[in-house]
Amino acid sequence: MKRIITGGTVVTASDTFAADVLIEDAKITGLLLPGTGPKDAEAIDAKGCYVIPGGIDVHTHLDMPFGGTNSIDDFESGTVAAAFGGTTTLVDFAIQAKGTSMKQALDTWHAKAEGRTMVDYGFHMIATDLAPQYLSEMADIVREGVTSFKLFMAYPGVLLLDDQSIFRGMLRAGEIGATICMHAETGLPIDVLVERALAAGHTAPIYHALTRPEVAEATGTERAIALAEMANVPVYIVHLSAQRALERVMEARDRGLPAFAETCPQYLFLSEDDLRGTAEDPFEGAKYVCTPPLRPAHHHDHLWRGLRNYDLQVVATDHCPFCMKGQKELGKDSFAKIPNGMPGVETRLHLLYEGVRQGHIGLNRFVEISSTAPAKIFGMYPKKGTIAVGSDADIVVWDPNKQFELSHKNLHMKADYAAYEGKVVTGAPKTVLSRGETVIADTTKLVGKKGRGKFLRRGGLGV
Ligand code: URP
Ligand code: ZN
Ligand code: ZN
């Protein structure tokens, strides 16, 4: 199969240039002067469009048991939604259940995903039990192509690990060339604040934010980085939401440590005010309960500056969707019982491109934070994350003038609400290719075959 993307402007993390992109089977085989490609290749029109590498979302939770229910998108609906949004690779989280092996968790997550995904996917491993028999399994997990482990400093009794276990896990990860992803919030005092709020009768969603202060994230981030420094392991802070945590990452990077951080669109575009819901119904705020919580809007500028200045490396989604009906409403009487998480896998590129249009980041940086940097950090580059000869033909033809409303009626994520209902953005995927096959055509047509996505064995840190 020979195809050629013609008439567009190729944008990578480093360059912007006019070229036609030749694709043979699943790979990019040429970047050609416009109009000079083989005549027998099937043409894909990109006139007036940018040709960018497919998005890579390294933080999703599909079909994940959490808060007494399961995230509502499974590997089928979640990867279809990703494709509509121009994301062609996901890295999801397998979860080790306490007292059971990581191998068992990996088998369970493979069974959830295999034969169901529209785009390629990999896994991180959430370690919840680092007893000696499980610590010694970590090298086997890395050999399976799962080269990063997420550890939690929050959610006591569920996912939280004590510092000694975290440190043992970090030491082992350092020895075997793996990366530690950290949920960096100091979780035990947070639970005391939650207890006190509930005892005082404060049950509404806004108390989710008021009981998880910024300082809890800042101390968690500092502690995660300090432990990683002692263990000599790269650390990647997931879903960073606030200025003080960012400053801890900046200090570490200034000292030359291999510390990385991602933020998410919800921390750039939404705020604590959304958690207040409406005057008629404060519980509407449950739509926006995620952890760390949405912060006051003045944090947005700090996060955009962090992205611009390379203090933050990645924007991922933390896509963890729950319906209001039957799921979020489990917390009607207590904000602490609202399942944590928001839908987002489909709208990440649209929102980040708004950041380009508003002057927060440049076009090349847009590509870098949404595709190239996550590919490098998580061992997928240059197979994924760029437009270069030999790379997988995971490509988005991005129409910079297309108006698109981020409303529930236009989206494919299964949550029964949209986090940005009514927001109209300019710029959307026109055509989405995964390994050379068109999966989305004309922005709204799903043409990829169900189950065509492949598991991706990842390598180590590549920056
Ligand atoms: O609210 C969130 N973030 N839900 C998913 C679990 C996590 O901590 O990433
Ligand atoms: Zn987390
Ligand atoms: Zn998450």
Side-chain angles (χ1 to χ4, degrees):
M1 185 183 63
K2 211 187 278 183
R3 312 184 81 192
I4 187 158
I5 304 177
T6 58
T9 301
V10 175
V11 184
T12 68
S14 57
D15 299 300
T16 306
F17 52 96
D20 292 349
V21 181
L22 184 63
I23 298 163
E24 287 172 83
D25 300 320
K27 298 280 181 193
I28 297 168
T29 54
L31 294 174
L32 310 174
L33 281 174
T36 64
K39 298 291 170 246
D40 61 340
E42 180 199 341
I44 300 166
D45 180 30
K47 195 154 173 282
C49 293
Y50 296 124
V51 179
I52 61 176
I56 299 180
D57 189 346
V58 289
H59 192 152
T60 65
H61 300 280
L62 301 176
D63 196 4
M64 168 179 152
F66 198 50
T69 182
N70 268 50
S71 61
I72 192 74
D73 276 314
D74 60 13
F75 280 83
E76 185 178 334
S77 65
T79 58
V80 165
F84 272 109
T87 287
T88 51
T89 304
L90 301 183
V91 186
D92 201 86
F93 290 86
I95 309 181
Q96 175 203 23
K98 284 188 199 299
T100 68
S101 73
M102 294 188 201
K103 174 74 176 64
Q104 197 174 322
L106 199 52
D107 290 346
T108 303
W109 258 261
H110 275 304
K112 286 174 189 264
E114 215 174 304
R116 297 210 174 89
T117 72
M118 182 55 57
V119 298
D120 294 349
Y121 61 96
F123 293 124
H124 310 278
M125 176 60 64
I126 290 179
T128 63
D129 189 341
L130 287 173
Q133 67 272 32
Y134 306 131
L135 260 185
S136 62
E137 263 197 291
M138 287 172 67
D140 298 332
I141 300 298
V142 167
R143 274 190 289 276
E144 296 290 321
V146 175
T147 54
S148 39
F149 295 84
K150 183 177 177 187
L151 310 179
F152 282 80
M153 292 176 155
Y155 306 126
V158 189
L159 298 167
L160 178 140
L161 283 175
D162 63 75
D163 277 12
Q164 200 173 53
S165 302
I166 287 174
F167 190 56
R168 287 188 206 284
M170 284 181 163
L171 282 167
R172 187 69 191 126
E175 286 161 359
I176 60 180
T179 295
I180 292 294
C181 300
M182 186 62 82
H183 181 124
E185 279 183 308
T186 297
L188 291 167
I190 286 173
D191 264 25
V192 176
L193 294 177
V194 170
E195 262 168 38
R196 288 165 66 104
L198 291 173
H202 300 313
T203 59
I206 182 61
Y207 286 94
H208 178 68
L210 301 181
T211 54
R212 304 186 90 90
E214 180 190 1
V215 61
E217 188 181 354
T219 61
T221 303
E222 179 164 350
R223 192 156 47 96
I225 291 169
L227 292 170
E229 182 177 3
M230 287 198 282
N232 197 21
V233 68
V235 64
Y236 176 92
I237 306 296
V238 296
H239 49 44
L240 186 145
S241 72
Q243 179 188 0
R244 286 176 62 179
L246 174 59
E247 286 166 359
R248 301 288 88 80
V249 174
M250 288 163 67
E251 283 161 15
R253 292 179 61 80
D254 285 349
R255 287 196 292 119
L257 293 175
F260 307 92
E262 79 182 13
T263 190
C264 311
Q266 53 271 31
Y267 302 120
L268 295 164
F269 287 92
L270 300 172
S271 79
E272 191 178 276
D273 287 344
D274 292 293
L275 279 163
R276 296 186 189 278
T278 59
E280 306 77 60
D281 187 4
F283 193 70
E284 281 289 290
K287 290 174 179 169
Y288 302 99
V289 168
C290 60
T291 300
L294 300 179
R295 303 295 185 187
H298 66 83
H299 289 272
H300 296 172
D301 280 346
H302 293 283
L303 298 179
W304 281 119
R305 180 177 39 78
L307 288 168
R308 221 170 24 248
N309 293 351
Y310 295 80
D311 297 319
L312 287 168
Q313 289 70 49
V314 172
V315 176
T317 61
D318 197 6
H319 177 78
C320 190
F322 298 99
C323 290
M324 283 295 272
K325 193 160 174 42
Q327 296 195 299
K328 292 278 187 182
E329 68 185 15
L330 293 170
K332 204 80 198 168
D333 300 324
S334 160
F335 68 90
K337 294 194 178 136
I338 300 170
N340 287 194
M342 285 179 50
V345 74
E346 193 169 357
T347 50
R348 180 180 64 130
L349 294 188
H350 299 89
L351 289 163
L352 285 181
Y353 192 70
E354 283 296 288
V356 175
R357 285 172 25 86
Q358 291 165 7
H360 292 299
I361 50 172
L363 203 51
N364 305 101
R365 190 71 184 138
F366 161 66
V367 168
E368 189 164 17
I369 61 182
S370 62
S371 181
T372 313
K376 287 182 177 175
I377 292 171
F378 288 108
M380 296 176 268
Y381 187 85
K383 180 178 169 66
K384 307 286 189 192
T386 193
I387 296 191
V389 171
S391 295
D392 279 1
D394 290 1
I395 297 176
V396 177
V397 177
W398 182 267
D399 182 346
N401 298 311
K402 178 94 186 164
Q403 301 254 307
F404 189 81
E405 193 177 316
L406 302 181
S407 294
H408 188 246
K409 66 177 191 302
N410 293 331
L411 297 172
H412 304 82
M413 301 176 284
K414 278 186 18 199
D416 57 3
Y417 68 96
Y420 306 88
E421 186 61 49
K423 185 178 176 72
V424 178
V425 294
T426 304
K430 179 182 176 202
T431 312
V432 180
L433 275 71
S434 163
R435 280 180 282 101
E437 294 173 14
T438 302
V439 289
I440 304 295
D442 302 327
T443 304
T444 58
K445 293 183 198 132
L446 178 67
V447 296
K449 266 213 303 290
K450 177 186 156 185
R452 55 165 304 288
K454 288 188 183 161
F455 174 65
L456 193 58
R457 299 173 78 88
R458 296 182 293 111
L461 178 73
V463 291

